[in-house]
C-alpha cells in the first residue's frame, strides 16, 4: 500500500491532536490547589476541608500603619478571616493625614500579616458603596483591581485570598438584571486579568437584598469559568427599624431560603445595630450568629475598632481602643462570649 501524501498525514494529525477544538466549558486553572468554592456550594481550603468564615471587618485605610497592630489583636479572637477595607486613596495619618494612593506595596504587608496569623484576607474596595449606577462604577473598581502594581501583588497570594469586588455597589436603584450583568462583566474581566481566587459579590441594596442571589446566583456561578464565587449578604435587618422591620420569624425564613438555594453564602457584615439617620436600631445579632452556625454560613462582624486612630471609632466598633482587652458589649459577645462566637466556632484553613 502506498503511503498517504505528506499533506494528508499532517491534516489528520491536526484534526485528532493539536488542532482539536478547545472545550470552553472547562476551567483553565486548577483552583483546588488553593482556596476554592467546591461544587458551587461552599468554601474549601487546599486540603479540601470546608472553611466557614468567622472573623471581622477591619478598616485598614482608616488605621495608622494600615491596621497591622489591629491585626495582632484580632488574631487573639481565633478568627480565621479578616475583611480588609480598602479605598483607592487614603489619608496617611503617619504623615499628617496626607491623601495618598493605595498601592500594591501598601497592601502586601496586610496580606502577609493575615496569612502568618492563620487568617484569610478578604480584600474589598469601598469607594463605590451605595452607588446609583453600578453599570458605570463597577468597571472603575475593576480598573483598580487590574492596576499593574495592585494586580502583581495580589496574584502572588491568590491561592490564599478572596477578592470582594466592591462593597455594597448599589443603593437599590439597579434592577436585578442590571446588577447581574454588571457583575458578570466584572467577573469576566477579573478572570481575563489572571485572577483565579474566589471572588466575593455583595448583594444589591447596600448588601441587604439576599433575594437577588436566589434568582441570579446560579447564573453568576455558571458564567464564571472557574465556578469560584462567594455571595455576601449584609444582614442589617433591625427588629424595629426606621424603614424596615425584621422579626425573628422573618430572619429564620430568610436563612431557610438561602440554605435551600445551595449557594455559597456568607454574612459579609453582621452587626449589633443598623445605623439609620444617625440612630441605632437593634438587630438580633445573637440569632444571626446561631442561624449561621446551624446553616454553616460564615459571618464577619462589623467592625473591629482602632488603636492609634480612636477618632475613627463609632457606636459599632467592637473595641474602642483596637485591643482585644478592650472588647465591649456586643463586640465582646460576638468575639468571645457566646456559644456561636468567633472564638467558639472558628476553624482555620490548613497550611
Amino acid at each position: 500500500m502506498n503511503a498517504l501524501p505528506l499533506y494528508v498525514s499532517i491534516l489528520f494529525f491536526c484534526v485528532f491532536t493539536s488542532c482539536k477544538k478547545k472545550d470552553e466549558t472547562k476551567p483553565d486553572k486548577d483552583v483546588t490547589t488553593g482556596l476554592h468554592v467546591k461544587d458551587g456550594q461552599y468554601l474549601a481550603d487546599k486540603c479540601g476541608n470546608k472553611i466557614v468564615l468567622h472573623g471581622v471587618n477591619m478598616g485598614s485605610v482608616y488605621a495608622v500603619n494600615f491596621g497591622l497592630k489591629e491585626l495582632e489583636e484580632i488574631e487573639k479572637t481565633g478568627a480565621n478571616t479578616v475583611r480588609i477595607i480598602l479605598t483607592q486613596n487614603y489619608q496617611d495619618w503617619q504623615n499628617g493625614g496626607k491623601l495618598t494612593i493605595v498601592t500594591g506595596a501598601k497592601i502586601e504587608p496586610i496580606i502577609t500579616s493575615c496569612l502568618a496569623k492563620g487568617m484569610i484576607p478578604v480584600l474589598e474596595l469601598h469607594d463605590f458603596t451605595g452607588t446609583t449606577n453600578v453599570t458605570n462604577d463597577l468597571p472603575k473598581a475593576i480598573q483598580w483591581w487590574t492596576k499593574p502594581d495592585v494586580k502583581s501583588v495580589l496574584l502572588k497570594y491568590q491561592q490564599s485570598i478572596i477578592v470582594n469586588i466592591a462593597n455594597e455597589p448599589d443603593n437599590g436603584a439597579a434592577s436585578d438584571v442590571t446588577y447581574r450583568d454588571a457583575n458578570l462583566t466584572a467577573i469576566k474581566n477579573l478572570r481575563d486579568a489572571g485572577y483565579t481566587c474566589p471572588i466575593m459579590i455583595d448583594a444589591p441594596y447596600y448588601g441587604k437584598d439576599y433575594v437577588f442571589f436566589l434568582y441570579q446566583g446560579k447564573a453568576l456561578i455558571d458564567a464564571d469559568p472557574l465556578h469560584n464565587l462567594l455571595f455576601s449578604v449584609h444582614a442589617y435587618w433591625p427588629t424595629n427599624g426606621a424603614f424596615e422591620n425584621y422579626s425573628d420569624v422573618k430572619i429564620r425564613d430568610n436563612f431557610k431560603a438561602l440554605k435551600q438555594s445551595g449557594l455559597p453564602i456568607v454574612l459579609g457584615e453582621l452587626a449589633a445595630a443598623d445605623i439609620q439617620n444617625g440612630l441605632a436600631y437593634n438587630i438580633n445579632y445573637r440569632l444571626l450568629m446561631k442561624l449561621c452556625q446551624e446553616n454553616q454560613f460564615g459571618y464577619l462582624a462589623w467592625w473591629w475598632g482602632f488603636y492609634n486612630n480612636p477618632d475613627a471609632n463609632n457606636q459599632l466598633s467592637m473595641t474602642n481602643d483596637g485591643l482585644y482587652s478592650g472588647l465591649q458589649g456586643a463586640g465582646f459577645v460576638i468575639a468571645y462570649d457566646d456559644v456561636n462566637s468567633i472564638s467558639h466556632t472558628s476553624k482555620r484553613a490548613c497550611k
Side-chain angles (χ1 to χ4, degrees), residues 32-70:
T32 62
T33 58
L35 280 176
H36 62 283
V37 177
K38 186 171 177 61
D39 301 327
Q41 295 184 324
Y42 61 86
L43 184 68
D45 62 21
K46 66 180 181 181
C47 300
N49 303 315
K50 183 175 183 178
I51 298 297
V52 181
L53 298 175
H54 286 107
V56 303
N57 286 264
M58 197 270 284
S60 286
V61 290
Y62 311 116
V64 172
N65 202 23
F66 254 49
L68 292 178
K69 171 61 178 176
E70 285 84 347

Side-chain angles (χ1 to χ4, degrees), residues 60-126:
S60 286
V61 290
Y62 311 116
V64 172
N65 202 23
F66 254 49
L68 292 178
K69 171 61 178 176
E70 285 84 347
L71 288 178
E72 294 176 3
E73 300 299 309
I74 292 169
E75 180 188 15
K76 297 175 184 178
T77 67
N80 63 13
T81 187
V82 182
R83 185 168 179 253
I84 305 295
I85 299 165
L86 300 171
T87 50
Q88 296 174 84
N89 302 288
Y90 74 106
Q91 287 184 287
D92 186 352
W93 296 109
Q94 290 177 295
N95 292 291
K98 179 183 177 182
L99 193 65
T100 307
I101 295 173
V102 174
T103 63
K106 195 69 181 178
I107 299 168
E108 187 165 20
I110 309 170
I111 295 174
T112 56
S113 179
C114 280
L115 296 179
K117 295 172 174 56
M119 300 187 296
I120 297 165
V122 178
L123 305 160
E124 67 98 337
L125 190 62
H126 218 71

